[in-house]
PDB file of all heavy atoms in Angstrom:
ATOM      1  N   VAL A 918     -32.683 -28.292 -23.113  1.00  0.00           N
ATOM      2  CA  VAL A 918     -31.410 -27.548 -23.194  1.00  0.00           C
ATOM      3  C   VAL A 918     -30.546 -27.945 -22.029  1.00  0.00           C
ATOM      4  O   VAL A 918     -29.330 -28.153 -22.163  1.00  0.00           O
ATOM      5  CB  VAL A 918     -31.709 -25.982 -23.192  1.00  0.00           C
ATOM      6  CG1 VAL A 918     -30.399 -25.257 -22.995  1.00  0.00           C
ATOM      7  CG2 VAL A 918     -32.437 -25.539 -24.441  1.00  0.00           C
ATOM      8  N   TYR A 919     -31.173 -27.991 -20.825  1.00  0.00           N
ATOM      9  CA  TYR A 919     -30.341 -28.218 -19.581  1.00  0.00           C
ATOM     10  C   TYR A 919     -30.245 -29.666 -19.193  1.00  0.00           C
ATOM     11  O   TYR A 919     -29.608 -29.978 -18.125  1.00  0.00           O
ATOM     12  CB  TYR A 919     -30.933 -27.365 -18.478  1.00  0.00           C
ATOM     13  CG  TYR A 919     -30.495 -25.886 -18.601  1.00  0.00           C
ATOM     14  CD1 TYR A 919     -31.427 -24.933 -18.990  1.00  0.00           C
ATOM     15  CD2 TYR A 919     -29.205 -25.497 -18.385  1.00  0.00           C
ATOM     16  CE1 TYR A 919     -31.034 -23.614 -19.194  1.00  0.00           C
ATOM     17  CE2 TYR A 919     -28.775 -24.155 -18.581  1.00  0.00           C
ATOM     18  CZ  TYR A 919     -29.728 -23.280 -18.928  1.00  0.00           C
ATOM     19  OH  TYR A 919     -29.309 -21.962 -19.157  1.00  0.00           O
ATOM     20  N   GLU A 920     -30.774 -30.598 -20.046  1.00  0.00           N
ATOM     21  CA  GLU A 920     -30.759 -31.992 -19.668  1.00  0.00           C
ATOM     22  C   GLU A 920     -29.274 -32.510 -19.402  1.00  0.00           C
ATOM     23  O   GLU A 920     -29.046 -33.230 -18.430  1.00  0.00           O
ATOM     24  CB  GLU A 920     -31.309 -32.812 -20.844  1.00  0.00           C
ATOM     25  CG  GLU A 920     -32.084 -34.046 -20.343  1.00  0.00           C
ATOM     26  CD  GLU A 920     -32.957 -34.540 -21.538  1.00  0.00           C
ATOM     27  OE1 GLU A 920     -32.305 -34.942 -22.556  1.00  0.00           O
ATOM     28  OE2 GLU A 920     -34.167 -34.526 -21.407  1.00  0.00           O
ATOM     29  N   PRO A 921     -28.271 -32.080 -20.194  1.00  0.00           N
ATOM     30  CA  PRO A 921     -26.912 -32.572 -19.887  1.00  0.00           C
ATOM     31  C   PRO A 921     -26.301 -32.056 -18.597  1.00  0.00           C
ATOM     32  O   PRO A 921     -25.228 -32.535 -18.250  1.00  0.00           O
ATOM     33  CB  PRO A 921     -26.103 -32.057 -21.155  1.00  0.00           C
ATOM     34  CG  PRO A 921     -27.100 -31.546 -22.094  1.00  0.00           C
ATOM     35  CD  PRO A 921     -28.321 -31.137 -21.317  1.00  0.00           C
ATOM     36  N   PHE A 922     -26.903 -31.130 -17.976  1.00  0.00           N
ATOM     37  CA  PHE A 922     -26.311 -30.507 -16.742  1.00  0.00           C
ATOM     38  C   PHE A 922     -26.963 -31.090 -15.475  1.00  0.00           C
ATOM     39  O   PHE A 922     -28.165 -31.198 -15.453  1.00  0.00           O
ATOM     40  CB  PHE A 922     -26.461 -28.979 -16.788  1.00  0.00           C
ATOM     41  CG  PHE A 922     -25.827 -28.331 -17.969  1.00  0.00           C
ATOM     42  CD1 PHE A 922     -26.547 -28.168 -19.157  1.00  0.00           C
ATOM     43  CD2 PHE A 922     -24.537 -27.842 -17.898  1.00  0.00           C
ATOM     44  CE1 PHE A 922     -25.976 -27.550 -20.236  1.00  0.00           C
ATOM     45  CE2 PHE A 922     -23.949 -27.258 -18.997  1.00  0.00           C
ATOM     46  CZ  PHE A 922     -24.681 -27.073 -20.193  1.00  0.00           C
ATOM     47  N   VAL A 923     -26.078 -31.399 -14.562  1.00  0.00           N
ATOM     48  CA  VAL A 923     -26.568 -32.035 -13.318  1.00  0.00           C
ATOM     49  C   VAL A 923     -26.734 -30.881 -12.302  1.00  0.00           C
ATOM     50  O   VAL A 923     -25.782 -30.464 -11.687  1.00  0.00           O
ATOM     51  CB  VAL A 923     -25.631 -33.121 -12.762  1.00  0.00           C
ATOM     52  CG1 VAL A 923     -26.211 -33.767 -11.569  1.00  0.00           C
ATOM     53  CG2 VAL A 923     -25.274 -34.108 -13.875  1.00  0.00           C
ATOM     54  N   ALA A 924     -27.985 -30.405 -12.136  1.00  0.00           N
ATOM     55  CA  ALA A 924     -28.228 -29.343 -11.185  1.00  0.00           C
ATOM     56  C   ALA A 924     -29.719 -29.296 -10.901  1.00  0.00           C
ATOM     57  O   ALA A 924     -30.535 -29.634 -11.802  1.00  0.00           O
ATOM     58  CB  ALA A 924     -27.753 -28.020 -11.813  1.00  0.00           C
ATOM     59  N   PRO A 925     -30.100 -28.813  -9.699  1.00  0.00           N
ATOM     60  CA  PRO A 925     -31.547 -28.585  -9.477  1.00  0.00           C
ATOM     61  C   PRO A 925     -32.126 -27.544 -10.452  1.00  0.00           C
ATOM     62  O   PRO A 925     -31.459 -26.455 -10.617  1.00  0.00           O
ATOM     63  CB  PRO A 925     -31.606 -28.164  -8.007  1.00  0.00           C
ATOM     64  CG  PRO A 925     -30.218 -27.902  -7.554  1.00  0.00           C
ATOM     65  CD  PRO A 925     -29.234 -28.442  -8.578  1.00  0.00           C
ATOM     66  N   VAL A 926     -33.297 -27.809 -10.982  1.00  0.00           N
ATOM     67  CA  VAL A 926     -33.936 -26.852 -11.869  1.00  0.00           C
ATOM     68  C   VAL A 926     -35.141 -26.226 -11.114  1.00  0.00           C
ATOM     69  O   VAL A 926     -35.992 -26.940 -10.630  1.00  0.00           O
ATOM     70  CB  VAL A 926     -34.425 -27.540 -13.142  1.00  0.00           C
ATOM     71  CG1 VAL A 926     -35.158 -26.486 -14.008  1.00  0.00           C
ATOM     72  CG2 VAL A 926     -33.205 -28.073 -13.919  1.00  0.00           C
ATOM     73  N   LEU A 927     -35.205 -24.952 -11.035  1.00  0.00           N
ATOM     74  CA  LEU A 927     -36.290 -24.284 -10.376  1.00  0.00           C
ATOM     75  C   LEU A 927     -37.153 -23.577 -11.501  1.00  0.00           C
ATOM     76  O   LEU A 927     -36.673 -22.707 -12.191  1.00  0.00           O
ATOM     77  CB  LEU A 927     -35.879 -23.202  -9.375  1.00  0.00           C
ATOM     78  CG  LEU A 927     -36.933 -22.420  -8.656  1.00  0.00           C
ATOM     79  CD1 LEU A 927     -37.763 -23.313  -7.670  1.00  0.00           C
ATOM     80  CD2 LEU A 927     -36.327 -21.219  -7.909  1.00  0.00           C
ATOM     81  N   VAL A 928     -38.386 -24.114 -11.620  1.00  0.00           N
ATOM     82  CA  VAL A 928     -39.264 -23.523 -12.645  1.00  0.00           C
ATOM     83  C   VAL A 928     -40.224 -22.534 -11.967  1.00  0.00           C
ATOM     84  O   VAL A 928     -40.831 -22.802 -10.906  1.00  0.00           O
ATOM     85  CB  VAL A 928     -40.075 -24.596 -13.366  1.00  0.00           C
ATOM     86  CG1 VAL A 928     -41.053 -24.029 -14.347  1.00  0.00           C
ATOM     87  CG2 VAL A 928     -39.133 -25.571 -14.097  1.00  0.00           C
ATOM     88  N   THR A 929     -40.270 -21.262 -12.515  1.00  0.00           N
ATOM     89  CA  THR A 929     -41.078 -20.257 -11.904  1.00  0.00           C
ATOM     90  C   THR A 929     -41.809 -19.491 -13.026  1.00  0.00           C
ATOM     91  O   THR A 929     -41.617 -19.805 -14.193  1.00  0.00           O
ATOM     92  CB  THR A 929     -40.208 -19.184 -11.175  1.00  0.00           C
ATOM     93  OG1 THR A 929     -39.581 -18.427 -12.124  1.00  0.00           O
ATOM     94  CG2 THR A 929     -39.266 -19.815 -10.200  1.00  0.00           C
ATOM     95  N   ASP A 930     -42.632 -18.528 -12.563  1.00  0.00           N
ATOM     96  CA  ASP A 930     -43.207 -17.578 -13.629  1.00  0.00           C
ATOM     97  C   ASP A 930     -42.053 -16.628 -14.035  1.00  0.00           C
ATOM     98  O   ASP A 930     -40.985 -16.564 -13.403  1.00  0.00           O
ATOM     99  CB  ASP A 930     -44.356 -16.798 -13.013  1.00  0.00           C
ATOM    100  CG  ASP A 930     -43.966 -16.066 -11.725  1.00  0.00           C
ATOM    101  OD1 ASP A 930     -43.783 -16.738 -10.694  1.00  0.00           O
ATOM    102  OD2 ASP A 930     -43.681 -14.911 -11.824  1.00  0.00           O
ATOM    103  N   ILE A 931     -42.289 -15.808 -15.069  1.00  0.00           N
ATOM    104  CA  ILE A 931     -41.221 -15.015 -15.594  1.00  0.00           C
ATOM    105  C   ILE A 931     -40.871 -13.898 -14.591  1.00  0.00           C
ATOM    106  O   ILE A 931     -39.676 -13.666 -14.339  1.00  0.00           O
ATOM    107  CB  ILE A 931     -41.691 -14.375 -16.936  1.00  0.00           C
ATOM    108  CG1 ILE A 931     -41.947 -15.497 -18.003  1.00  0.00           C
ATOM    109  CG2 ILE A 931     -40.651 -13.368 -17.463  1.00  0.00           C
ATOM    110  CD1 ILE A 931     -42.343 -15.012 -19.346  1.00  0.00           C
ATOM    111  N   ASN A 932     -41.811 -13.266 -13.990  1.00  0.00           N
ATOM    112  CA  ASN A 932     -41.500 -12.140 -13.047  1.00  0.00           C
ATOM    113  C   ASN A 932     -40.609 -12.653 -11.833  1.00  0.00           C
ATOM    114  O   ASN A 932     -39.600 -11.982 -11.471  1.00  0.00           O
ATOM    115  CB  ASN A 932     -42.790 -11.537 -12.487  1.00  0.00           C
ATOM    116  CG  ASN A 932     -43.464 -10.667 -13.496  1.00  0.00           C
ATOM    117  OD1 ASN A 932     -42.916 -10.296 -14.542  1.00  0.00           O
ATOM    118  ND2 ASN A 932     -44.741 -10.338 -13.220  1.00  0.00           N
ATOM    119  N   SER A 933     -40.979 -13.862 -11.334  1.00  0.00           N
ATOM    120  CA  SER A 933     -40.172 -14.342 -10.182  1.00  0.00           C
ATOM    121  C   SER A 933     -38.742 -14.598 -10.603  1.00  0.00           C
ATOM    122  O   SER A 933     -37.772 -14.362  -9.873  1.00  0.00           O
ATOM    123  CB  SER A 933     -40.848 -15.591  -9.582  1.00  0.00           C
ATOM    124  OG  SER A 933     -42.165 -15.336  -9.225  1.00  0.00           O
ATOM    125  N   ALA A 934     -38.563 -15.249 -11.789  1.00  0.00           N
ATOM    126  CA  ALA A 934     -37.183 -15.520 -12.289  1.00  0.00           C
ATOM    127  C   ALA A 934     -36.407 -14.320 -12.430  1.00  0.00           C
ATOM    128  O   ALA A 934     -35.220 -14.208 -11.998  1.00  0.00           O
ATOM    129  CB  ALA A 934     -37.262 -16.296 -13.648  1.00  0.00           C
ATOM    130  N   GLU A 935     -36.979 -13.249 -12.982  1.00  0.00           N
ATOM    131  CA  GLU A 935     -36.259 -11.991 -13.136  1.00  0.00           C
ATOM    132  C   GLU A 935     -35.886 -11.416 -11.774  1.00  0.00           C
ATOM    133  O   GLU A 935     -34.757 -10.907 -11.606  1.00  0.00           O
ATOM    134  CB  GLU A 935     -37.126 -10.966 -13.934  1.00  0.00           C
ATOM    135  CG  GLU A 935     -37.329 -11.354 -15.374  1.00  0.00           C
ATOM    136  CD  GLU A 935     -38.380 -10.530 -16.100  1.00  0.00           C
ATOM    137  OE1 GLU A 935     -39.302  -9.952 -15.482  1.00  0.00           O
ATOM    138  OE2 GLU A 935     -38.358 -10.478 -17.354  1.00  0.00           O
ATOM    139  N   LEU A 936     -36.843 -11.518 -10.787  1.00  0.00           N
ATOM    140  CA  LEU A 936     -36.587 -10.991  -9.537  1.00  0.00           C
ATOM    141  C   LEU A 936     -35.461 -11.755  -8.731  1.00  0.00           C
ATOM    142  O   LEU A 936     -34.715 -11.163  -7.992  1.00  0.00           O
ATOM    143  CB  LEU A 936     -37.873 -11.034  -8.642  1.00  0.00           C
ATOM    144  CG  LEU A 936     -38.355  -9.660  -8.249  1.00  0.00           C
ATOM    145  CD1 LEU A 936     -39.869  -9.691  -7.938  1.00  0.00           C
ATOM    146  CD2 LEU A 936     -37.581  -9.156  -7.051  1.00  0.00           C
ATOM    147  N   ILE A 937     -35.438 -13.082  -8.972  1.00  0.00           N
ATOM    148  CA  ILE A 937     -34.403 -13.948  -8.270  1.00  0.00           C
ATOM    149  C   ILE A 937     -33.028 -13.399  -8.520  1.00  0.00           C
ATOM    150  O   ILE A 937     -32.209 -13.306  -7.625  1.00  0.00           O
ATOM    151  CB  ILE A 937     -34.568 -15.419  -8.722  1.00  0.00           C
ATOM    152  CG1 ILE A 937     -35.841 -16.045  -8.136  1.00  0.00           C
ATOM    153  CG2 ILE A 937     -33.354 -16.207  -8.369  1.00  0.00           C
ATOM    154  CD1 ILE A 937     -36.233 -17.413  -8.670  1.00  0.00           C
ATOM    155  N   LYS A 938     -32.765 -12.989  -9.779  1.00  0.00           N
ATOM    156  CA  LYS A 938     -31.352 -12.551 -10.091  1.00  0.00           C
ATOM    157  C   LYS A 938     -31.020 -11.280  -9.298  1.00  0.00           C
ATOM    158  O   LYS A 938     -30.026 -11.163  -8.663  1.00  0.00           O
ATOM    159  CB  LYS A 938     -31.219 -12.357 -11.628  1.00  0.00           C
ATOM    160  CG  LYS A 938     -29.955 -11.805 -12.054  1.00  0.00           C
ATOM    161  CD  LYS A 938     -28.769 -12.727 -11.810  1.00  0.00           C
ATOM    162  CE  LYS A 938     -27.443 -12.012 -12.002  1.00  0.00           C
ATOM    163  NZ  LYS A 938     -26.305 -12.873 -11.733  1.00  0.00           N
ATOM    164  N   HIS A 939     -31.893 -10.268  -9.343  1.00  0.00           N
ATOM    165  CA  HIS A 939     -31.582  -9.039  -8.633  1.00  0.00           C
ATOM    166  C   HIS A 939     -31.520  -9.280  -7.125  1.00  0.00           C
ATOM    167  O   HIS A 939     -30.717  -8.747  -6.444  1.00  0.00           O
ATOM    168  CB  HIS A 939     -32.640  -7.990  -8.949  1.00  0.00           C
ATOM    169  CG  HIS A 939     -32.231  -7.156 -10.152  1.00  0.00           C
ATOM    170  ND1 HIS A 939     -33.094  -6.875 -11.189  1.00  0.00           N
ATOM    171  CD2 HIS A 939     -31.061  -6.532 -10.464  1.00  0.00           C
ATOM    172  CE1 HIS A 939     -32.450  -6.154 -12.111  1.00  0.00           C
ATOM    173  NE2 HIS A 939     -31.248  -5.933 -11.669  1.00  0.00           N
ATOM    174  N   ALA A 940     -32.446 -10.146  -6.614  1.00  0.00           N
ATOM    175  CA  ALA A 940     -32.488 -10.434  -5.194  1.00  0.00           C
ATOM    176  C   ALA A 940     -31.226 -11.172  -4.723  1.00  0.00           C
ATOM    177  O   ALA A 940     -30.641 -10.910  -3.682  1.00  0.00           O
ATOM    178  CB  ALA A 940     -33.726 -11.232  -4.807  1.00  0.00           C
ATOM    179  N   ALA A 941     -30.690 -12.067  -5.619  1.00  0.00           N
ATOM    180  CA  ALA A 941     -29.520 -12.859  -5.217  1.00  0.00           C
ATOM    181  C   ALA A 941     -28.277 -11.907  -5.216  1.00  0.00           C
ATOM    182  O   ALA A 941     -27.508 -11.918  -4.247  1.00  0.00           O
ATOM    183  CB  ALA A 941     -29.296 -13.977  -6.219  1.00  0.00           C
ATOM    184  N   ASN A 942     -28.152 -11.122  -6.221  1.00  0.00           N
ATOM    185  CA  ASN A 942     -26.921 -10.250  -6.259  1.00  0.00           C
ATOM    186  C   ASN A 942     -26.987  -9.224  -5.154  1.00  0.00           C
ATOM    187  O   ASN A 942     -26.027  -8.901  -4.500  1.00  0.00           O
ATOM    188  CB  ASN A 942     -26.832  -9.575  -7.601  1.00  0.00           C
ATOM    189  CG  ASN A 942     -26.006 -10.394  -8.608  1.00  0.00           C
ATOM    190  OD1 ASN A 942     -25.635 -11.479  -8.272  1.00  0.00           O
ATOM    191  ND2 ASN A 942     -25.713  -9.836  -9.790  1.00  0.00           N
ATOM    192  N   SER A 943     -28.193  -8.648  -4.827  1.00  0.00           N
ATOM    193  CA  SER A 943     -28.333  -7.733  -3.739  1.00  0.00           C
ATOM    194  C   SER A 943     -27.971  -8.348  -2.391  1.00  0.00           C
ATOM    195  O   SER A 943     -27.349  -7.767  -1.549  1.00  0.00           O
ATOM    196  CB  SER A 943     -29.764  -7.174  -3.660  1.00  0.00           C
ATOM    197  OG  SER A 943     -30.048  -6.550  -4.882  1.00  0.00           O
ATOM    198  N   PHE A 944     -28.366  -9.641  -2.253  1.00  0.00           N
ATOM    199  CA  PHE A 944     -28.086 -10.263  -0.980  1.00  0.00           C
ATOM    200  C   PHE A 944     -26.530 -10.534  -0.796  1.00  0.00           C
ATOM    201  O   PHE A 944     -26.031 -10.298   0.296  1.00  0.00           O
ATOM    202  CB  PHE A 944     -28.732 -11.640  -0.886  1.00  0.00           C
ATOM    203  CG  PHE A 944     -28.693 -12.258   0.486  1.00  0.00           C
ATOM    204  CD1 PHE A 944     -29.501 -11.768   1.507  1.00  0.00           C
ATOM    205  CD2 PHE A 944     -27.773 -13.227   0.814  1.00  0.00           C
ATOM    206  CE1 PHE A 944     -29.389 -12.255   2.815  1.00  0.00           C
ATOM    207  CE2 PHE A 944     -27.696 -13.726   2.100  1.00  0.00           C
ATOM    208  CZ  PHE A 944     -28.518 -13.308   3.132  1.00  0.00           C
ATOM    209  N   LEU A 945     -25.886 -10.866  -1.866  1.00  0.00           N
ATOM    210  CA  LEU A 945     -24.425 -11.051  -1.824  1.00  0.00           C
ATOM    211  C   LEU A 945     -23.749  -9.662  -1.498  1.00  0.00           C
ATOM    212  O   LEU A 945     -22.803  -9.613  -0.662  1.00  0.00           O
ATOM    213  CB  LEU A 945     -23.886 -11.627  -3.098  1.00  0.00           C
ATOM    214  CG  LEU A 945     -24.345 -13.050  -3.405  1.00  0.00           C
ATOM    215  CD1 LEU A 945     -23.988 -13.463  -4.801  1.00  0.00           C
ATOM    216  CD2 LEU A 945     -23.809 -13.994  -2.363  1.00  0.00           C
ATOM    217  N   ALA A 946     -24.197  -8.632  -2.076  1.00  0.00           N
ATOM    218  CA  ALA A 946     -23.687  -7.283  -1.883  1.00  0.00           C
ATOM    219  C   ALA A 946     -23.913  -6.881  -0.413  1.00  0.00           C
ATOM    220  O   ALA A 946     -23.024  -6.247   0.211  1.00  0.00           O
ATOM    221  CB  ALA A 946     -24.267  -6.283  -2.796  1.00  0.00           C
ATOM    222  N   LEU A 947     -25.095  -7.238   0.059  1.00  0.00           N
ATOM    223  CA  LEU A 947     -25.413  -6.985   1.486  1.00  0.00           C
ATOM    224  C   LEU A 947     -24.439  -7.640   2.415  1.00  0.00           C
ATOM    225  O   LEU A 947     -23.980  -7.049   3.408  1.00  0.00           O
ATOM    226  CB  LEU A 947     -26.806  -7.486   1.759  1.00  0.00           C
ATOM    227  CG  LEU A 947     -27.389  -7.365   3.119  1.00  0.00           C
ATOM    228  CD1 LEU A 947     -28.337  -6.168   3.176  1.00  0.00           C
ATOM    229  CD2 LEU A 947     -28.189  -8.645   3.495  1.00  0.00           C
ATOM    230  N   LYS A 948     -24.068  -8.888   2.113  1.00  0.00           N
ATOM    231  CA  LYS A 948     -23.101  -9.602   2.969  1.00  0.00           C
ATOM    232  C   LYS A 948     -21.720  -8.862   2.982  1.00  0.00           C
ATOM    233  O   LYS A 948     -21.063  -8.664   4.033  1.00  0.00           O
ATOM    234  CB  LYS A 948     -22.849 -11.066   2.528  1.00  0.00           C
ATOM    235  CG  LYS A 948     -23.868 -12.043   3.027  1.00  0.00           C
ATOM    236  CD  LYS A 948     -23.467 -13.426   2.664  1.00  0.00           C
ATOM    237  CE  LYS A 948     -22.778 -14.194   3.900  1.00  0.00           C
ATOM    238  NZ  LYS A 948     -22.606 -15.672   3.548  1.00  0.00           N
ATOM    239  N   ILE A 949     -21.352  -8.349   1.738  1.00  0.00           N
ATOM    240  CA  ILE A 949     -20.087  -7.651   1.725  1.00  0.00           C
ATOM    241  C   ILE A 949     -20.149  -6.338   2.526  1.00  0.00           C
ATOM    242  O   ILE A 949     -19.236  -6.079   3.305  1.00  0.00           O
ATOM    243  CB  ILE A 949     -19.708  -7.401   0.183  1.00  0.00           C
ATOM    244  CG1 ILE A 949     -19.549  -8.627  -0.566  1.00  0.00           C
ATOM    245  CG2 ILE A 949     -18.502  -6.452   0.101  1.00  0.00           C
ATOM    246  CD1 ILE A 949     -19.322  -8.487  -2.090  1.00  0.00           C
ATOM    247  N   SER A 950     -21.213  -5.652   2.320  1.00  0.00           N
ATOM    248  CA  SER A 950     -21.338  -4.362   3.074  1.00  0.00           C
ATOM    249  C   SER A 950     -21.424  -4.621   4.546  1.00  0.00           C
ATOM    250  O   SER A 950     -21.025  -3.835   5.413  1.00  0.00           O
ATOM    251  CB  SER A 950     -22.502  -3.534   2.580  1.00  0.00           C
ATOM    252  OG  SER A 950     -22.151  -2.810   1.415  1.00  0.00           O
ATOM    253  N   TYR A 951     -22.096  -5.719   4.916  1.00  0.00           N
ATOM    254  CA  TYR A 951     -22.255  -6.045   6.362  1.00  0.00           C
ATOM    255  C   TYR A 951     -20.836  -6.209   7.015  1.00  0.00           C
ATOM    256  O   TYR A 951     -20.530  -5.616   8.022  1.00  0.00           O
ATOM    257  CB  TYR A 951     -23.043  -7.365   6.527  1.00  0.00           C
ATOM    258  CG  TYR A 951     -23.331  -7.677   8.016  1.00  0.00           C
ATOM    259  CD1 TYR A 951     -24.351  -7.144   8.651  1.00  0.00           C
ATOM    260  CD2 TYR A 951     -22.434  -8.538   8.639  1.00  0.00           C
ATOM    261  CE1 TYR A 951     -24.574  -7.378  10.000  1.00  0.00           C
ATOM    262  CE2 TYR A 951     -22.659  -8.832   9.969  1.00  0.00           C
ATOM    263  CZ  TYR A 951     -23.746  -8.259  10.636  1.00  0.00           C
ATOM    264  OH  TYR A 951     -23.938  -8.545  11.965  1.00  0.00           O
ATOM    265  N   ILE A 952     -19.992  -7.005   6.391  1.00  0.00           N
ATOM    266  CA  ILE A 952     -18.665  -7.220   6.965  1.00  0.00           C
ATOM    267  C   ILE A 952     -17.847  -5.991   6.832  1.00  0.00           C
ATOM    268  O   ILE A 952     -17.041  -5.681   7.757  1.00  0.00           O
ATOM    269  CB  ILE A 952     -17.986  -8.475   6.382  1.00  0.00           C
ATOM    270  CG1 ILE A 952     -16.864  -8.991   7.284  1.00  0.00           C
ATOM    271  CG2 ILE A 952     -17.422  -8.173   4.981  1.00  0.00           C
ATOM    272  CD1 ILE A 952     -17.331  -9.522   8.590  1.00  0.00           C
ATOM    273  N   ASN A 953     -18.081  -5.163   5.824  1.00  0.00           N
ATOM    274  CA  ASN A 953     -17.322  -3.890   5.750  1.00  0.00           C
ATOM    275  C   ASN A 953     -17.744  -2.918   6.863  1.00  0.00           C
ATOM    276  O   ASN A 953     -16.918  -2.193   7.388  1.00  0.00           O
ATOM    277  CB  ASN A 953     -17.492  -3.278   4.362  1.00  0.00           C
ATOM    278  CG  ASN A 953     -16.576  -3.921   3.378  1.00  0.00           C
ATOM    279  OD1 ASN A 953     -15.475  -4.456   3.731  1.00  0.00           O
ATOM    280  ND2 ASN A 953     -16.847  -3.856   2.078  1.00  0.00           N
ATOM    281  N   ALA A 954     -19.001  -2.910   7.199  1.00  0.00           N
ATOM    282  CA  ALA A 954     -19.500  -2.095   8.347  1.00  0.00           C
ATOM    283  C   ALA A 954     -18.856  -2.593   9.648  1.00  0.00           C
ATOM    284  O   ALA A 954     -18.351  -1.825  10.463  1.00  0.00           O
ATOM    285  CB  ALA A 954     -20.998  -2.129   8.417  1.00  0.00           C
ATOM    286  N   ILE A 955     -18.765  -3.938   9.720  1.00  0.00           N
ATOM    287  CA  ILE A 955     -18.129  -4.507  10.920  1.00  0.00           C
ATOM    288  C   ILE A 955     -16.606  -4.129  10.973  1.00  0.00           C
ATOM    289  O   ILE A 955     -16.007  -3.897  11.983  1.00  0.00           O
ATOM    290  CB  ILE A 955     -18.194  -6.061  10.937  1.00  0.00           C
ATOM    291  CG1 ILE A 955     -19.659  -6.484  10.937  1.00  0.00           C
ATOM    292  CG2 ILE A 955     -17.441  -6.642  12.061  1.00  0.00           C
ATOM    293  CD1 ILE A 955     -20.343  -6.695  12.184  1.00  0.00           C
ATOM    294  N   SER A 956     -16.009  -4.035   9.740  1.00  0.00           N
ATOM    295  CA  SER A 956     -14.567  -3.729   9.689  1.00  0.00           C
ATOM    296  C   SER A 956     -14.327  -2.318  10.237  1.00  0.00           C
ATOM    297  O   SER A 956     -13.298  -2.104  10.916  1.00  0.00           O
ATOM    298  CB  SER A 956     -14.047  -3.811   8.244  1.00  0.00           C
ATOM    299  OG  SER A 956     -14.432  -2.665   7.510  1.00  0.00           O
ATOM    300  N   GLU A 957     -15.257  -1.418  10.060  1.00  0.00           N
ATOM    301  CA  GLU A 957     -15.080  -0.014  10.557  1.00  0.00           C
ATOM    302  C   GLU A 957     -15.139  -0.094  12.084  1.00  0.00           C
ATOM    303  O   GLU A 957     -14.372   0.548  12.826  1.00  0.00           O
ATOM    304  CB  GLU A 957     -16.252   0.855   9.986  1.00  0.00           C
ATOM    305  CG  GLU A 957     -15.943   2.288  10.153  1.00  0.00           C
ATOM    306  CD  GLU A 957     -16.920   3.227   9.348  1.00  0.00           C
ATOM    307  OE1 GLU A 957     -17.647   2.719   8.516  1.00  0.00           O
ATOM    308  OE2 GLU A 957     -16.970   4.414   9.715  1.00  0.00           O
ATOM    309  N   ILE A 958     -16.033  -0.897  12.613  1.00  0.00           N
ATOM    310  CA  ILE A 958     -16.195  -1.014  14.105  1.00  0.00           C
ATOM    311  C   ILE A 958     -14.912  -1.679  14.629  1.00  0.00           C
ATOM    312  O   ILE A 958     -14.390  -1.317  15.647  1.00  0.00           O
ATOM    313  CB  ILE A 958     -17.476  -1.795  14.474  1.00  0.00           C
ATOM    314  CG1 ILE A 958     -18.688  -1.035  13.999  1.00  0.00           C
ATOM    315  CG2 ILE A 958     -17.578  -2.054  15.974  1.00  0.00           C
ATOM    316  CD1 ILE A 958     -19.957  -1.844  14.059  1.00  0.00           C
ATOM    317  N   CYS A 959     -14.409  -2.678  13.889  1.00  0.00           N
ATOM    318  CA  CYS A 959     -13.216  -3.372  14.397  1.00  0.00           C
ATOM    319  C   CYS A 959     -12.012  -2.348  14.502  1.00  0.00           C
ATOM    320  O   CYS A 959     -11.251  -2.396  15.473  1.00  0.00           O
ATOM    321  CB  CYS A 959     -12.719  -4.453  13.425  1.00  0.00           C
ATOM    322  SG  CYS A 959     -13.803  -5.969  13.581  1.00  0.00           S
TER     323      CYS A 959
END
Side-chain angles (χ1 to χ4, degrees):
V918 169
Y919 283 107
E920 218 166 61
F922 299 88
V923 185
V926 175
L927 179 68
V928 177
T929 72
D930 58 283
I931 298 179
N932 285 347
S933 302
E935 290 170 340
L936 244 159
I937 285 169
K938 176 65 191 176
H939 271 131
N942 272 5
S943 299
F944 190 77
L945 294 172
L947 177 101
K948 274 189 99 175
I949 296 172
S950 280
Y951 183 84
I952 200 66
N953 280 336
I955 300 270
S956 78
E957 196 171 343
I958 298 170
C959 284

